[in-house]
Amino acid sequence: MARTHRCFLQTSWLKDQSKRAFDLVFSLLLLIIGSPLFLLIAIGVYSTSRGPIIHKQIRIGKKGKPFYLYKFRTMEKNAENLLQDLLAKNESWKKEWQAFCKLKNDPRITPFGRFLRKTSLDELPQFWNVLWGDLSVVGPRPMFFHEIEEYVKEKAKKILSVKPGITGIWQVSGRSLLSMQERVLLEEQYVDRRSFFFDMKLIGQTIKVLVFSKGAY
């Protein structure tokens, strides 16, 4: 029994190291090759709205560890403060937010930011998160603490047992078109099915989703 347990731990360790090696190589190549695009997007954000170029949010990572997630800013300055006012004034928006934690026609999003979200280019800075070890290229979508508390609940230990990712099963299965309850079920499926080949499959499906911008807003 002890020998079997050791073999399991060794296999799990090797899988984690292989995944980490892939994450480092993939992210480093993308950051180097995509650096001109990063510069163009930064200029676009800076010249079309007031506020910082990079927006950071606290998300919950593996084993419940909080970290700063980085994105190109897509909303107006003080967007977080504006949200509560919007939800208080519009009941339909409040219900939409409670179901999806997003608003399809969010008035806080800038015109350039809407383009970035539609193409998912706003998420490119997250490859720095991968290099720093907060994220993996593929994994459950990193959540806010209140999302875990309200929607994930007893499944949090399982979903947070692996490192969250930039893309994953949620992103290729409908993304923002899915409710939070559906998202949690999908993330749980990923934890059960995770493997190198499944990750490669999800990366391939992500490229297809990005081309057609399905479920992005």
Side-chain angles (χ1 to χ4, degrees), residues 11 44 50 59 75 126 129-130 143 163 192 210 214:
T11 301
R50 296 180 60 185
R59 300 289 182 99
M75 290 188 174
Q126 290 171 36
N129 284 115
V130 176
M143 297 186 186
K163 195 176 292 185
D192 291 333
L210 291 177
K214 183 180 179 182

Side-chain angles (χ1 to χ4, degrees), residues 36-54 72-75 110-116 121:
L37 179 60
F38 276 67
L39 179 60
L40 289 174
I41 295 173
I43 293 172
V45 174
Y46 179 79
S47 61
T48 56
S49 61
R50 296 180 60 185
I53 293 171
I54 299 295
F72 283 115
R73 182 175 56 83
T74 59
M75 290 188 174
T110 67
F112 187 65
R114 197 165 296 280
F115 163 75
L116 293 179
L121 292 172

Side-chain angles (χ1 to χ4, degrees), residues 73-89:
R73 182 175 56 83
T74 59
M75 290 188 174
E76 298 288 354
K77 195 175 180 180
N78 298 322
E80 296 299 327
N81 295 331
L82 293 172
L83 178 61
Q84 297 307 317
D85 289 338
L86 290 172
L87 299 184
K89 294 175 182 177

